[in-house]
Amino acid sequence: MNASQTTIQLDRIFGALADSTRRAILDRAYRGEVTVNELVAGFDLSQPTISKHLKVLERAGLISRGREAQFRPVRIEAPALAGADRWLGAYRRLWEDRLGRLDRVVEDLKQQGDA
Amino acid sequence: MNASQTTIQLDRIFGALADSTRRAILDRAYRGEVTVNELVAGFDLSQPTISKHLKVLERAGLISRGREAQFRPVRIEAPALAGADRWLGAYRRLWEDRLGRLDRVVEDLKQQGDA
DNA sequence: TGGCTATATGCTCATATGGCGATATGTGGC
DNA sequence: GCCACATATCGCCATATGAGCATATAGCCA
């Protein structure tokens, strides 16, 4: 199951997403390219701290950095997010489709039967 | 964006998913209820270590524990996974639909134009 | 060149995490 | 009540993470 992304990549992707500041940075990058200082202005964290978060996101492949003069604009990267989405997608039938709901009913009945 | 899950819950969910052992435990629980010792047998990790992983998963709401005699069977929980999926879903247009692909083309052109 | 601005890196600190072995707790069966 | 088995918790270690301040690097512009 989920052979398309390496284990370590998924570790990094989910690890990067496990922090609200980094998720907020992604939200911001989703709306368009953004510079480090713009992020610093928006987050009430020091510039080095933001840079460190960006490094985590970059290492996970969730963002890439451009180079425009002395700016290093942050751009969101779809493939890593798509990888996480693909991993989660394998479980989607648990809550999404008719078959999944039916499974849950069966599970619940089994639970109650055992109790 | 993504108001349905609290920040801390998402921190825990993604944090729990950021470990390959825990993802493998979920894979296993997805195929049906499983006991701690069954997991220990399958993972080449000590029983306390597995229990600790289970605690992380439980705290994130990704599993729940039953009680059948002296067993505490592990059951996968859809809502937390669905929460993570919903969060990721907000970005899905980046890689999935026609509009997303068009956006990417525009972005790329803009990039090249700026370079 | 020199100075200004944007960003990165080094250091330190406090806390979190993953692993282990040893041991405690809980539950069913004799 | 006691034993055996399943699971949880404790204490410990090594390493990782997030934060800050101070400082270094890098690119523009005068």
Side-chain angles (χ1 to χ4, degrees):
Chain A
M1 201 190 248
N2 287 303
S4 48
Q5 204 98 359
T6 79
T7 288
I8 292 185
Q9 281 174 325
L10 276 177
D11 285 359
R12 288 183 184 153
I13 291 167
F14 284 124
L17 295 180
D19 180 284
S20 65
T21 298
R22 288 191 293 260
R23 289 196 305 277
I25 289 174
L26 284 178
D27 275 350
R28 179 64 189 77
Y30 178 71
R31 300 202 299 275
E33 289 197 359
V34 59
T35 68
V36 178
N37 270 351
E38 285 170 340
L39 290 170
V40 171
F43 281 100
D44 197 45
L45 287 175
S46 74
Q47 175 265 313
T49 298
I50 293 291
S51 280
K52 211 186 265 188
H53 281 305
L54 291 175
K55 202 168 203 174
V56 173
L57 287 165
E58 190 173 20
R59 195 171 153 78
L62 287 162
I63 60 165
S64 64
R65 320 293 309 274
R67 198 176 272 280
E68 288 173 26
Q70 67 269 59
F71 302 89
R72 306 288 318 276
V74 172
R75 214 175 323 139
I76 196 166
E77 284 293 328
L81 281 166
D85 189 56
R86 204 162 39 243
W87 187 87
L88 274 172
Y91 296 93
R92 206 160 285 144
R93 53 178 280 279
L94 282 179
W95 64 87
E96 201 173 58
D97 58 39
R98 213 161 27 126
L99 188 60
R101 282 202 291 274
L102 184 58
D103 281 357
R104 295 310 293 160
V105 171
V106 172
E107 288 292 323
D108 290 350
L109 286 175
K110 214 169 64 178
Q111 273 314 106
Q112 289 174 20
D114 292 347
Chain B
M1 200 192 253
N2 288 303
S4 48
Q5 202 96 1
T6 78
T7 289
I8 291 186
Q9 280 173 325
L10 277 177
D11 285 0
R12 288 183 183 152
I13 291 168
F14 284 124
L17 295 180
D19 180 283
S20 65
T21 298
R22 287 192 292 261
R23 288 196 305 276
I25 289 174
L26 284 179
D27 275 350
R28 179 66 188 75
Y30 178 72
R31 301 201 300 274
E33 290 196 357
V34 60
T35 69
V36 178
N37 270 351
E38 285 171 340
L39 290 170
V40 170
F43 281 101
D44 197 48
L45 286 174
S46 73
Q47 175 265 312
T49 299
I50 294 291
S51 281
K52 208 186 262 187
H53 281 305
L54 291 176
K55 202 166 203 175
V56 172
L57 288 166
E58 191 173 18
R59 196 171 151 78
L62 287 162
I63 61 166
S64 63
R65 319 293 308 273
R67 198 177 273 280
E68 288 174 24
Q70 67 270 58
F71 302 90
R72 306 287 319 277
V74 172
R75 215 176 323 137
I76 196 166
E77 284 293 328
L81 281 165
D85 189 56
R86 205 161 40 243
W87 187 88
L88 273 172
Y91 297 93
R92 205 161 286 145
R93 52 179 281 279
L94 282 178
W95 63 88
E96 200 174 62
D97 59 38
R98 212 159 30 126
L99 190 58
R101 282 202 291 276
L102 184 59
D103 281 359
R104 296 311 293 162
V105 172
V106 172
E107 287 295 321
D108 290 350
L109 285 174
K110 213 168 69 177
Q111 271 316 106
Q112 290 174 21
D114 291 349

